[in-house]
Structure formats: C-alpha cells, structure tokens
C-alpha cells in the first residue's frame, strides 16, 4: 500500500491572490508542501439566482490564478460542494497535517469554520487562521473603557493613532509559490455545471489610477464622474491586499483612507454586535410600523419611482451590479423614509445585486440610512432627492445616462409627493420613538 502524501492545505476564501496574503505566507513557510484549495460552497451558492455577478467574478479570478500557477508548474484545486464533505474527501487522498486560512467575520463563515475546525481536530489536523482582510479586527481598537467603539469618528482617530509600519508590512507569499504541492491540473467546475449563467461584468482595474485618488475628496460625491476607486469588489474578494491599499491611502488621500476605515468600522461592529444582522443596532427603532407596500417596493427595485435620481441609481445597480455611493445613500433614504419600507428589504435587494456586496458594509450603511444603526444619520434628517440632484448631478448627466426617458411623457409620475412623504416619515418615526420611551 502506498502511503498518502503528507501536506498542508491553504484554503482560499475572501483572499483570492498570491501576493501579500498573510495566511498563505504562513502556510508556505511551513515544512510541508501546500495544496492550494478553493471551494465553491454549495451552502452559499444554492440560494443565489442563476445570473449572479459575484459567481462570475470569482470564477474569472480563479481562472487567472490558475494560469499564473500553471506558468510555475503548479495548480490550484477548485472543488464544488459542501466544505465539510470536501475536507472529508481530501482526507481520503492526503495525509493532511495542517489547514491554513484567513479570518472571515460573517456569521455563516464563523459557523462553517467552527464545523471544519471540529472535523479536522477529530483527525488531529491543525486549523490555523490569520487576520488578513483588515488592519485591525474584532477587539483590537477599543475605547478607554475597553469597549468596542460604536461611534465612527473616535474609532477612526484611535485607529489612526494605533497604526504602525508593521501593520502594513507586506507578507511576501508570492515569492514562495514553489512550495506548493504539485497536483495534476484538473478542470475547474464551469458556471453551467454549478447552475449559473455568465454575467456581463465590468471588472475595475486592481490599481486605482493615482489621479482619481489625488482628487478623491473633491470628486467622490458626483455620480457622473469616475471619481472613486471602484475597489469595492477587489477588497471584498481579496484580489487586492488591504495593507497595500491603506499604504496608498496614507500617501495619497486622507479622505480615501477614512473610507477604508469605515469598512473596518462596520466589520468590527458586525464581529462585536452580531445582532445587527437582522435587528437594528439601536433597539429604540425595532418597532417602526413599516408600510411594506409591495407594489411600491417593486417600483423602487425596478427604478420606476418617478424620482429621476433614485431611478437612475436603481437602474445602474440592476444593469451593472454597481451603484455610486452618493446614490446608494439617496436610494436607501428614499426607500426607508419616503416609502417607509423596512430597511431589511432594501438591504436584501442590494445584497442580491451588488458586485461589491459585503454583509457588514451593506448592513451598516442601510442601518445608517434608516437612522437605526450605530452613529446613524438622525431620523429627522431626510434626504430631499431634488436638492441632492441639484447639488450632485446638476446638469443631469448621470440621470440621462440611466433614465433615457427622463423629461419625456413616458417617464412615470412621482410615486409619492415629497413634502407629504417627509411629513409622514417624521410622524411615523417620531410616534414609534415616543411609544418606545413610554414602555
Ligand atoms: P471608494 O469610494 O473608492 O472607497 C474605497 C473603499 O472604501 C470601498 O471600495 C469600500 O471598501 C470602502 N468604503 C467606502 N465607503 C464605505 C462605507 N460607507 N462603508 C463601508 N465601506 C466603505 N460598500 C461595500 O463594500 N459593500 C456593500 O455591500 C455596500 N453597501 C452599501 C449600501 C448602502 C445603502 C450604502 C449607502 C453604502 C454601501 N456601501 C457598501 C458603501 C459604499 O457605497 C461603497 O463601498 C462604495 O460606493 C464602493 O465604491 P468604490 O469601490 O469606488 O469606493
């Protein structure tokens, strides 16, 4: 009987790159040959619609990684199934000594990792995980009373006071690819085999142009301009290293750095306050009597509200999987305040459509817009879509791009009158808070 090859496994998840990858660096430094593994997780994929921008993006990225490895005589193993079954199966073929991976803070991922860790432990296999997708995680940045921050500005100040060159030093994982175990290249599961159709994607460059970063603070609010980095998807799937981006931000633009810190703030909130996944951060807002009018919701989803800036945003999202940040704020405010529809419905819709969808950022920003999150916009500050348009799309360039029938007779009438909607939102939110304070 031939003995099974002794190996370590590196399990890629939200860190789809070979360079500056912390967990991969540690795996490749071990004494064992490393099997690089990616699992298309059925638990995640099964509920998704068949046209999903993210699945296309991941498949495309894995192909690039495979090509890079094959030039060095190595190969990535890509499997489709449930992680626990895949690991049991790999244990039949290999004598796995260690499994390396990077931390993931989302509730499903935590549950999955615990299950895999337990399964591996029973077989005497070490499960070693590392911080990679943020600079500071969980409870690394705390208030003076050792509590997680719940307000952004003091969090950012403490974050900036803590960061040292060591926190952004690169892990030179890309120089050790020869330490990968040699596996025969096997075909990757195709989109069709996994039940998906390809999505026509625009994949932004991994290196945001320097002129965009230089002018970020002046241009980021204008949706008609290419004034933001478009790095969301790359940060989401780890096709770039956050350490490299923070280094760039420190060189180029403080405002852009603040956005990267917002990303970490919401990840920290999710890790410390997991109830936010389906409850408002602030319990005062748990009993707002939402209207939840399904017809209104569908018109919002389809970009047919008769509010041009809202419709432009929703159509951009539906067609491309992206929406500009300013317009995300306007559309989210419109749904929760003008239409009084539960923020969780909007959050779910964005989660289905956004290529850069990230649970913590999406949830945190939706709660911010609805006024119920930590450090949220106060409920009585209601975005006026007309004033927002005057300020941020004054010549209607963005609107015309996505709403070709703008100002033509076929464009729908407003779904609700602005002044009436504003007064209704103030009354409903105000009433709910009053009831809460009387309990
Ligand atoms: P840039 O403006 O160039 O910013 C650089 C990076 O900083 C972004 O890629 C992102 O990683 C991070 N960032 C920027 N703004 C925020 C923010 N407000 N909160 C957290 N991180 C931020 N961002 C997501 O990454 N995923 C989401 O699912 C998501 N959902 C959102 C939902 C709503 C209702 C709103 C108002 C915002 C949401 N955002 C989300 C935040 C923001 O809109 C996007 O990160 C940004 O528009 C992406 O474009 P960019 O990559 O050009 O970002």
């Amino acid at each position: 009987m031939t003995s099974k090859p002794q190996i370590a496994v590196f399990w890629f998840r939200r860190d789809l790159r070979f360079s500056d990858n912390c967990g991969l660096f540690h795996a490749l430094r071990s004494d064992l040959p490393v099997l690089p593994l990616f699992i298309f997780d059925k638990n995640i994929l099964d509920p998704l619609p068949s046209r999903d921008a993210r699945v296309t993006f991941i498949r495309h990225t894995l192909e690039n990684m495979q090509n890079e490895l094959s030039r060095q005589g190595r190969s990535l193993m890509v499997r489709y199934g449930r992680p626990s079954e895949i690991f049991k199966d790999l244990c039949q073929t290999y004598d796995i000594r260690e499994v390396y991976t990077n931390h993931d803070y989302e509730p499903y991922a935590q549950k999955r990792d615990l299950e895999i860790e337990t399964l591996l432990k029973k077989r005497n296999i070490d499960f070693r995980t590392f911080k990679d997708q943020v600079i500071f995680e969980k409870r690394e940045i705390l208030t003076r009373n050792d509590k997680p921050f719940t307000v952004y500005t003091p969090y950012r100040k403490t974050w900036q006071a803590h960061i040292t060159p060591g926190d952004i030093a690169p892990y030179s994982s890309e120089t050790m690819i020869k330490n990968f175990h040699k596996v025969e290249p096997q075909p990757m599961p195709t989109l069709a085999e996994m039940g998906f159709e390809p999505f026509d994607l625009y994949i932004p460059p991994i290196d945001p142009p320097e002129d965009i970063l230089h002018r970020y603070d002046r241009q980021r609010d204008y949706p008609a301009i290419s004034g933001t980095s478009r790095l969301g998807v790359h940060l989401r799937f780890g096709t770039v290293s956050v350490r490299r981006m923070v280094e760039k931000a420190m060189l180029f633009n403080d405002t852009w750095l603040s956005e990267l810190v917002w990303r970490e703030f919401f990840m920290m909130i999710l890790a410390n306050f997991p109830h936010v996944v389906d409850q408002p951060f602030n319990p005062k807002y748990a009993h707002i009597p939402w209207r939840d009018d399904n017809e209104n919701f569908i018109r919002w989803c389809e970009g047919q509200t008769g509010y041009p800036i809202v419709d432009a945003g929703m159509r951009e999202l539906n067609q491309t999987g992206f929406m500009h940040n300013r317009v995300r704020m306007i559309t989210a405010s419109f749904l929760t305040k003008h239409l009084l529809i539960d923020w969780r419905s909007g959050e779910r819709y964005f989660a289905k459509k956004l290529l850069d969808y990230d649970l913590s950022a999406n949830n945190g920003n939706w709660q911010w817009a609805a006024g119920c999150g930590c450090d949220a916009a106060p409920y009585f500050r209601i975005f006026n879509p007309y004033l927002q348009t005057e300020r941020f799309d004054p010549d209607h360039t963005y609107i015309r791009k996505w709403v070709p029938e703008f100002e033509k007779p076929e464009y729908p009438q407003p779904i609700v009158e602005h002044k009436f909607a504003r007064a209704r939102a103030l009354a409903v939110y105000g009433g709910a808070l009053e009831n809460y304070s009387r309990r």
Side-chain angles (χ1 to χ4, degrees):
M1 202 179 92
T2 52
S3 61
K4 298 192 238 175
Q6 262 198 7
I7 57 159
V9 170
F10 180 75
W11 182 14
F12 286 99
R13 289 107 59 102
R14 295 181 51 141
D15 45 13
L16 302 180
R17 67 183 189 284
F18 297 120
S19 66
D20 190 17
N21 180 326
C22 178
L24 179 62
F25 171 82
H26 287 287
L28 292 171
R29 272 211 324 188
S30 73
D31 294 332
L32 295 160
V34 178
L35 176 76
L37 170 72
F38 181 85
I39 302 172
F40 276 108
D41 183 345
K42 264 176 119 350
N43 297 326
I44 298 175
L45 298 192
D46 280 355
L48 298 181
S50 62
R51 266 185 92 252
D52 189 282
R54 276 87 44 117
V55 182
T56 303
F57 178 85
I58 295 172
R59 179 75 182 47
H60 169 86
T61 302
L62 292 173
E63 249 173 53
N64 288 345
M65 292 173 76
Q66 188 68 290
N67 292 340
E68 202 175 326
L69 276 192
S70 68
R71 283 196 289 277
Q72 309 201 41
R74 300 291 188 277
S75 177
L76 182 68
M77 179 178 276
V78 180
R79 302 286 297 268
Y80 171 54
R82 296 187 202 285
S84 55
E85 286 156 19
I86 304 278
F87 274 104
K88 281 183 203 157
D89 187 50
L90 285 176
C91 288
Q92 309 278 333
T93 318
Y94 296 101
D95 178 6
I96 302 175
R97 306 309 314 154
E98 293 165 339
V99 173
Y100 290 78
T101 196
N102 287 312
H103 292 170
D104 190 330
Y105 312 101
E106 295 192 359
Y108 164 72
Q110 303 257 317
K111 204 170 121 235
R112 172 199 62 201
D113 286 358
L114 191 63
E115 186 191 350
I116 299 298
E117 184 173 12
T118 312
L119 180 157
L120 295 174
K121 229 184 213 156
K122 284 191 192 141
R123 293 165 168 77
N124 278 325
I125 303 170
D126 276 349
F127 186 62
R128 308 192 55 198
T129 73
F130 296 83
K131 175 177 73 171
D132 182 71
Q133 52 170 290
V134 285
I135 305 297
F136 298 118
E137 63 177 5
K138 300 174 191 171
R139 295 180 57 86
E140 287 186 327
I141 300 289
L142 294 173
T143 64
R144 284 205 192 117
N145 302 325
D146 281 347
K147 298 244 163 38
F149 280 95
T150 56
V151 179
Y152 168 75
T153 304
Y155 171 82
R156 191 197 69 219
K157 286 190 179 143
T158 314
W159 189 102
Q160 282 185 287
H162 264 70
I163 192 163
T164 64
D167 294 311
I168 51 171
Y171 292 93
S172 55
S173 38
E174 69 282 5
T175 61
M176 295 185 285
I177 284 184
K178 61 178 185 328
N179 299 354
F180 276 133
H181 178 61
K182 280 194 176 166
V183 268
E184 281 302 307
Q186 291 161 5
M188 262 185 219
T190 63
L191 287 175
E193 279 162 1
M194 297 186 288
F196 289 93
E197 295 160 31
F199 191 101
D200 193 13
L201 275 186
Y202 164 69
I203 301 184
I206 278 186
D207 259 329
E210 288 180 3
D211 59 321
I212 288 189
L213 298 189
H214 269 303
R215 284 182 300 204
Y216 180 80
D217 48 322
R218 278 162 283 148
Q219 297 199 333
R220 68 185 172 130
D221 270 318
Y222 300 93
I225 298 177
S226 293
T228 68
S229 72
R230 298 293 300 260
L231 269 184
V233 60
H234 294 303
L235 287 162
R236 166 66 181 88
F237 293 107
T239 32
V240 293
S241 151
V242 71
R243 289 175 289 280
R244 301 287 56 78
M245 293 307 118
V246 166
E247 187 180 47
K248 249 186 206 293
M250 289 169 112
L251 277 176
F252 284 107
N253 200 305
D254 244 17
T255 311
W256 196 56
L257 179 64
S258 303
E259 301 305 328
L260 296 175
V261 180
W262 267 111
R263 173 178 171 273
E264 301 218 347
F265 177 70
F266 285 132
M267 287 205 182
M268 177 281 293
I269 291 289
L270 177 63
N272 287 298
F273 305 96
H275 74 274
V276 296
V277 169
D278 47 20
Q279 291 302 316
F281 177 85
N282 186 339
K284 275 202 309 199
Y285 293 88
H287 301 289
I288 297 191
W290 302 109
R291 284 178 59 252
D292 286 342
D293 177 320
N294 197 40
E295 204 182 297
N296 278 194
F297 180 61
I298 291 171
R299 281 183 61 178
W300 177 83
C301 294
E302 291 177 349
Q304 296 289 348
T305 65
Y307 279 80
I309 190 77
V310 174
D311 294 344
M314 296 309 294
R315 295 185 198 185
E316 181 183 22
L317 175 66
N318 291 334
Q319 287 172 42
T320 67
F322 181 79
M323 191 198 299
H324 186 277
N325 178 60
R326 169 61 45 187
V327 193
R328 290 188 205 196
M329 293 197 284
I330 299 170
T331 52
S333 167
F334 189 83
L335 185 79
T336 52
K337 308 274 176 64
H338 282 69
L339 300 184
L340 274 174
I341 290 180
D342 193 332
W343 57 274
R344 283 162 284 218
S345 303
E347 185 199 10
R348 273 195 297 275
Y349 190 73
F350 272 32
K352 263 200 275 175
K353 297 281 175 182
L354 279 174
L355 180 56
D356 65 22
Y357 167 62
D358 179 271
L359 196 159
S360 59
N362 197 41
N363 176 276
N365 280 289
W366 268 99
Q367 295 217 25
W368 180 90
C372 62
C374 52
D375 204 10
Y379 80 85
F380 47 81
R381 202 177 293 155
I382 296 176
F383 274 30
N384 176 332
Y386 300 117
L387 291 182
Q388 291 286 315
T389 305
E390 265 173 43
R391 282 186 66 192
F392 300 113
D393 191 30
D395 50 11
H396 304 145
T397 311
Y398 176 75
I399 288 177
R400 278 184 225 285
K401 178 167 180 192
W402 298 105
V403 185
E405 79 279 23
F406 171 59
E407 286 180 331
K408 294 190 181 143
E410 62 268 33
Y411 185 62
Q413 289 300 307
I415 191 169
V416 64
E417 198 263 325
H418 169 68
K419 269 197 184 147
F420 163 81
R422 183 173 188 281
R424 180 175 66 183
L426 290 176
V428 168
Y429 268 76
L433 291 184
E434 215 174 291
N435 284 343
Y436 180 87
S437 64
R438 275 206 235 103
R439 288 182 343 161

